[in-house]
Each structure stands twice: as structure tokens, then as C-alpha cells.
């Protein structure tokens, strides 16, 4: 099990604003800025960052085209736990919808940030074995159907439960602020899975996150060190 | 109308107290409640919708504006005649079975509440049977369904089918759906009446539908008379 303290998670406020649809570089009102700062602070008291990954020999996997050029595949999960989403719900119940929206977006960014940390561990492990890695890619994004969750969770086994993540029959993970992913490992050249960018997404036409031509998931544009290339503008 | 500009801008700026105060002051000065609604509050929220659509305002600000609108509306409500409240309606809302995503649904609920609708929020992971039972019990104008994933949006048609089977679909109860993976085509293919991309659009579409229906009814009555 991979465990971190809240302070290990970098919650980038620009990233939160991007999730909320604000255009990069555009100034926001000082009121929203103050509210956001407060919710980021609150989030640090609510998140419980946990992760896990395992590796599988690629030939052992059912013949999925996605993995054909890999030698090994790492399956990973990350979560911030469910306290934050409970708080978001409570805020809505209290009629504090604006705060709820802000805290929820903070939670999404925190979940992606924990995923970055798990991704980094995968890459470290791979390089120890002399393997190169691809960017991470997730069931439900781009060409990988969300049914792929079954495969991921089959290999994660009981470990997912130990970090508090369960997969429902409709392929949804509880807590909501959780991410699952795969990384291909190998010595040869491997095809990146998420290069289709928005073009391959069913939401492409009407996605509210598309205006700045960046994907809604960081997975598709993080570099092989697991760092997010997009925030290094 | 006096104060219309101030009320409208208080709403756009999300100033809850100011919106309430201005409405109260307008009432005290004898302005007609229906006018305050139509010429100050509604244009304020309309402007918010347009700014959101045009990428000038974002969800947090929109929700602050919704609170300001609601505060104004609450101050006005005791003075409104049944006829003034042309936007008023009732909606039963929930996230479909197998899905526990509530943010989108909560935003839609908050937006309808702020706009004076009665909202019956069934929560998340709501089976078809419960949706239909709630429609039977509350007789709403709208049934709203939300879903986050393609796997769970596939649970929407069974709700509509069950509604139809019980003879509850169609006026007065229309179905509106939404959520990240849902689109207009899908809505049409499962027999939903409306699809909304976001919470503001949802309220706008429903209000239009209710106004049309009200006008239609009025015409029918005139014709019958
Ligand atoms: C009744 O009438 C109506 C009318 C309008 C209605 C309505 C009802 N209901 C909603 N609306 C509408 O109005 C609301 C307000 O304006 C809107 O509600 P929404 O709920 O859509 O919007 C919210 C207010 C804000 N939006 C959101 O919260 C979702 C935004 C996007 C970017 C998104 C985010 C943030 C996240 N995610 Co992910 N995520 C995506 C989303 C892509 C996108 N462009 O939307 C989506 C939903 N995710 C997806 C996926 C695949 C996943 N995500 C996952 C994880 C995550 C994060 C944790 C990183 C994060 C938070 C998730 C959460 N639920 O809290 C995973 C699942 C999580 C889980 N618990 O199972 C995972 C499965 C990935 C993985 N393998 O880990 C995709 C689903 C595709 C599919 N096949 O179904 C996705 C569409 C992205 C994509 N481009 O493909 C409208 O839809």
C-alpha cells in the first residue's frame, strides 16, 4: 500500500480553476479567489491519499490490443478517500452550492495529484528493472472502454479494498474521487494510448473543458516521469 | 422600472443581501411584485445564463448568483399572485441506479430551487421503480435523470419505459436528462423530452416548456369557452 500525508499532495489552484472552466491566465474575482483558498485549506484536512499498483507480464493478459507491444503492464489506483465528497454533499444540503462546487473541483485535482504520485512509483519501479514506460491511461478514457475496470481490478485484487476502493457492478469506483490506470513497461518502442487527445473522446464537441485545447484528464499529457507536462506552461 | 438595473446587477454579482434588500425596498415603494420579478430578477438571471454560456462566468459565480436570485425571490414570494409565478413548477430529480455521482445532479437541483421550483431530490443510485413511484406520488411537471458514466446512462431508458408503461409519461410529466456522457442524440433515442448540457440550460429549457404549456392551456380554455 502506498500512503501519503495530505501535505505531500500539491493542490495547484490554477489546475482547480481549469477544472471549473476558467481560462488560463484570466483573472478571477477576489471573492472567488478567497473562497477557493479556503476550500483548498479545508481539503487538506479532508483528504486521505492512498494508492497501490501491481505489475503483470503482458503476455499473461487477455489479448487486448492496448497492451500488445508491452513486456509488462502496471495497474494502479489512487484515491483521496470519501471525507471530502461527504463534505461537498453537506455543503449542497446547506445551500452553499458555490463552496460545494469549489471543494469538489479541489478534490478532483487532489485525486489526480495522488495518481501522479502512484504513477511516479510505477516509473521508479520500472526504471529499476531497466524498462521504459508509457504515459498512464485509464479505462473509460479514449480508446479503452470503461469495462476495462474489471481487468484492472482483477489484478489489483484485495489490495484495492485495503486502500478503501471498491468497484461497483456498473464500473464505478467508491470513493468517487478515485482513479485507476495502466502503464505499459518495456524495452522496445511502445505506442502511447492516449495520443488521440480530445479527438477520440465522445464528449469532444460539447466538453466544457475543451476551450483551452487541453484534455480533462492529466493522464494523457503527463510525461514519463509522471509529472504533469501541462502545468509547466 | 426603478431598481431593475440595481437588482439585476446584484444578482449578476452574486450579492445575496443586496438583492434581498433591493427587492424589499422596491416592494415598500409600491412597485408591483410581478414587475419586480419580470423586469429585475429574471433579467438578472438571464444575463447570468448568457455570461455563463459565453464563457464570462463560471460555476462558482453562477451558484452565488443563483443564491442572490433566490434571496430576492424569497422576499417577493408572499406577494406574488399565482399568475405572476409563471415559471413555477415541480421537478423530481435523481441520479440513476448504479451511479453515485451527485455533483451534477446537485447543481441542477440547486439551480431549480433558486429559480423557485419545488425540487424533490431522490438522491443517487435511484432504481427505476423509485423514480416512477415518486412521479406517481408528487405528480411533477418534470422528471430529471442524471448519470456520470456511459455504463450508468444505459439505465436511463428503463426509467422512461417504466414511466410509459404506467401511463405517466407525457403532459404533465416530461423527462429531462443530462450528465457528462449524455447527449441530444441519446436523449432522442430513448424518448426523453429534453436534454440539457448544464444546469442553467436545464432551467431555461424547462421554463420555456412550462411557459409554452401554460400558453397552450390558456388557448385551449379560450377555445373551449
Ligand atoms: C435532469 O437534467 C439534467 C440536466 C443537466 C445535467 C444533469 C441532469 N446532470 C448533469 N447535468 C449537467 O449539468 C451539470 C452542471 O452544469 C453537469 O454535471 P456534471 O456532473 O457533468 O459536471 C460537474 C458539475 C463537473 N464535472 C465533473 O465533475 C466531471 C468532469 C470530468 C473531467 C471528470 C472528473 C473531474 C474526474 N474523473 Co472522470 N471525469 C470526467 C469528466 C469529463 C467532462 N468533460 O465532463 C468523465 C466523466 N470521467 C470519465 C472516466 C472514464 C473516469 N473518471 C474518473 C475519475 C475522475 C476524477 C476522480 C479524476 C475526477 C472526479 C470525478 C468525480 N465524479 O468526482 C474515473 C471514475 C471515477 C469513479 N469513481 O468511478 C474514470 C472511470 C477513469 C478511471 N478509470 O479512473 C469519463 C467517462 C466516460 C465514460 N465512458 O463514461 C469522462 C466523461 C471523461 C472523458 N473525457 O472521457 C452537466 O453534465
Amino acid at each position: 500500500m502506498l500512503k501519503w500525508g495530505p501535505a505531500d499532495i500539491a493542490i495547484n489552484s490554477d489546475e482547480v480553476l481549469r477544472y471549473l472552466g476558467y481560462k488560463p491566465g484570466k483573472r478571477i474575482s477576489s471573492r472567488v479567489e478567497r473562497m477557493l483558498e479556503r476550500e483548498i485549506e479545508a481539503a487538506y484536512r479532508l483528504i486521505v491519499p492512498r494508492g497501490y499498483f501491481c505489475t503483470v507480464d503482458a503476455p499473461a493478459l487477455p489479448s487486448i490490443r492496448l497492451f500488445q507491444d508491452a513486456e509488462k503492464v502496471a495497474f494502479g489506483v489512487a484515491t483521496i478517500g470519501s471525507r471530502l465528497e461527504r463534505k461537498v454533499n453537506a455543503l449542497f444540503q446547506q445551500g452553499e452550492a458555490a463552496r460545494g462546487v469549489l471543494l469538489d473541483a479541489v478534490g478532483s485535482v487532489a485525486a489526480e495529484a495522488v495518481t501522479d504520485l502512484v504513477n511516479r512509483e510505477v516509473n521508479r519501479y520500472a526504471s529499476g528493472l531497466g524498462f521504459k514506460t508509457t504515459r498512464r491511461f485509464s479505462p473509460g478514457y479514449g480508446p479503452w472502454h470503461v469495462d476495462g475496470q474489471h481487468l484492472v481490478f482483477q489484478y489489483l485484487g484485495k489490495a484495492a479494498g485495503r486502500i478503501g476502493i471498491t468497484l461497483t457492478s456498473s464500473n464505478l469506483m467508491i470513493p468517487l474521487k478515485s482513479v485507476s490506470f495502466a502503464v505499459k513497461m518495456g524495452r522496445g518502442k511502445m505506442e502511447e494510448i492516449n495520443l488521440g487527445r480530445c479527438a477520440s473522446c465522445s464528449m469532444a464537441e460539447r466538453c466544457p473543458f475543451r476551450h483551452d485545447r487541453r484534455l480533462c484528464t492529466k493522464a494523457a499529457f503527463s510525461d514519463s516521469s509522471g509529472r504533469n507536462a501541462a502545468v509547466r506552461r | 422600472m426603478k431598481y431593475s438595473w440595481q437588482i439585476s446587477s446584484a444578482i449578476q454579482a452574486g450579492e445575496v443581501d443586496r438583492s434581498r434588500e433591493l427587492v424589499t425596498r422596491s416592494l415598500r415603494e409600491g412597485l408591483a411584485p410581478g414587475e419586480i420579478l419580470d423586469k429585475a430578477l429574471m433579467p438578472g438571471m438571464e444575463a447570468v445564463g448568457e455570461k455563463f454560456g459565453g464563457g464570462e462566468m463560471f460555476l462558482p459565480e453562477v451558484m452565488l448568483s443563483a443564491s442572490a436570485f433566490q434571496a430576492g425571490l424569497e422576499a417577493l414570494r408572499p406577494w406574488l399572485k399565482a399568475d405572476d409565478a409563471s415559471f413555477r413548477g415541480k421537478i423530481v430529480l435523481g441520479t440513476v441506479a448504479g451511479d453515485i455521482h451527485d455533483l451534477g445532479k446537485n447543481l441542477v437541483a440547486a439551480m431549480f430551487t433558486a429559480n423557485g421550483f419545488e425540487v424533490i431530490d431522490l438522491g443517487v443510485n435511484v432504481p427505476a421503480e423509485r423514480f416512477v413511484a415518486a412521479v406517481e406520488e408528487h405528480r411533477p411537471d418534470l422528471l430529471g435523470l442524471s448519470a456520470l458514466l456511459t455504463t450508468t446512462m444505459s439505465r436511463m431508458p428503463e426509467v422512461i419505459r417504466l414511466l410509459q408503461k404506467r401511463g405517466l409519461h407525457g403532459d404533465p410529466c416530461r423527462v429531462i436528462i443530462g450528465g457528462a456522457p449524455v447527449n441530444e442524440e441519446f436523449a432522442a433515442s430513448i424518448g426523453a423530452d429534453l436534454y440539457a448540457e448544464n444546469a442553467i440550460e436545464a432551467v431555461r429549457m424547462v421554463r420555456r416548456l412550462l411557459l409554452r404549456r401554460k400558453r397552450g392551456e390558456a388557448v385551449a380554455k379560450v377555445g373551449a369557452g
Side-chain angles (χ1 to χ4, degrees), chain B residues 144-216:
Chain B
L145 309 176
S146 181
L148 174 78
L149 293 178
T150 37
T151 40
T152 55
M153 83 184 192
S154 65
R155 306 295 292 272
M156 287 178 164
E158 66 187 80
V159 181
I160 299 182
R161 275 199 302 272
L162 192 60
L163 201 63
Q164 285 166 343
K165 207 171 126 200
R166 303 271 168 86
L168 292 165
H169 187 209
D171 283 335
C173 184
R174 296 284 169 182
V175 178
I176 177 168
I177 67 171
V182 179
N183 59 30
E184 203 148 11
E185 252 172 33
F186 176 74
S189 75
I190 65 167
D193 302 287
L194 299 170
Y195 156 74
E197 207 172 293
N198 57 58
I200 293 198
E201 199 48 38
V203 173
R204 208 188 270 169
M205 289 176 118
V206 166
R207 191 183 288 140
R208 232 180 280 145
L209 177 100
L210 295 188
L211 274 173
R212 264 208 313 272
R213 185 186 291 169
K214 201 181 144 195
R215 269 190 229 125

Side-chain angles (χ1 to χ4, degrees), chain B:
Chain B
M1 190 196 95
K2 204 177 166 192
Y3 297 125
S4 66
W5 185 84
Q6 286 102 313
I7 293 175
S8 167
S9 44
I11 288 170
Q12 291 173 56
E15 294 169 343
V16 176
D17 295 336
R18 199 171 143 70
S19 159
R20 187 187 302 113
E21 267 164 41
L22 284 165
V23 169
T24 311
R25 197 186 305 166
S26 317
L27 284 166
R28 221 182 300 127
E29 293 186 17
L31 296 177
E35 279 226 330
I36 302 175
L37 179 65
D38 290 341
K39 301 211 169 122
L41 285 168
M42 298 294 255
M45 212 53 208
E46 281 293 322
V48 169
E50 256 147 48
K51 286 184 176 173
F52 178 71
E56 281 173 65
M57 267 177 95
F58 302 95
L59 277 175
E61 288 125 359
V62 169
M63 296 328 288
L64 291 171
S65 290
S67 303
F69 179 88
Q70 190 174 4
L73 188 63
E74 292 307 326
L76 203 59
R77 205 193 282 279
W79 314 100
L80 287 173
K81 295 194 290 285
D83 225 39
D84 290 328
S86 55
F87 56 90
R88 217 185 273 168
K90 199 196 271 188
I91 179 165
V92 166
L93 193 69
T95 302
V96 294
D99 200 328
I100 54 158
H101 179 69
D102 39 22
L103 183 69
K105 185 265 301 162
N106 282 347
L107 283 169
V108 173
M111 217 51 207
F112 274 103
T113 306
N115 279 273
F117 282 77
E118 184 184 342
V119 178
I120 296 125
D121 185 346
L122 302 179
V124 296
N125 195 12
V126 181
E129 189 56 57
R130 252 188 69 212
F131 275 118
V132 174
V135 168
E136 249 167 346
E137 183 188 340
H138 300 283
R139 299 285 160 172
D141 301 290
L142 266 308
L143 170 64
L145 309 176
S146 181
L148 174 78
L149 293 178
T150 37
T151 40
T152 55
M153 83 184 192
S154 65
R155 306 295 292 272
M156 287 178 164
E158 66 187 80
V159 181
I160 299 182
R161 275 199 302 272
L162 192 60
L163 201 63
Q164 285 166 343
K165 207 171 126 200
R166 303 271 168 86
L168 292 165
H169 187 209
D171 283 335
C173 184
R174 296 284 169 182
V175 178
I176 177 168
I177 67 171
V182 179
N183 59 30
E184 203 148 11
E185 252 172 33
F186 176 74
S189 75
I190 65 167
D193 302 287
L194 299 170
Y195 156 74
E197 207 172 293
N198 57 58
I200 293 198
E201 199 48 38
V203 173
R204 208 188 270 169
M205 289 176 118
V206 166
R207 191 183 288 140
R208 232 180 280 145
L209 177 100
L210 295 188
L211 274 173
R212 264 208 313 272
R213 185 186 291 169
K214 201 181 144 195
R215 269 190 229 125
E217 280 170 9
V219 169
K221 263 182 219 148
V222 172

Side-chain angles (χ1 to χ4, degrees), chain A residues 19 104 108 111-112 138-142 146 149 171-181 201 203 207-209 216, chain B residues 52 59 91 93 101 103-105 107-108 143-151 176-181 196-200 202:
Chain A
Y19 260 119
D104 184 89
S108 295
E112 288 275 14
S138 294
Y141 284 119
V146 69
Q149 289 281 49
N171 289 325
L172 208 79
M173 292 174 286
I174 301 176
L176 274 175
K177 299 293 182 208
S178 305
V179 176
S180 68
F181 68 91
C201 178
M203 296 194 64
C207 179
F209 302 91
C216 60
Chain B
F52 178 71
L59 277 175
I91 179 165
L93 193 69
H101 179 69
L103 183 69
K105 185 265 301 162
L107 283 169
V108 173
L143 170 64
L145 309 176
S146 181
L148 174 78
L149 293 178
T150 37
T151 40
I176 177 168
I177 67 171
E197 207 172 293
N198 57 58
I200 293 198

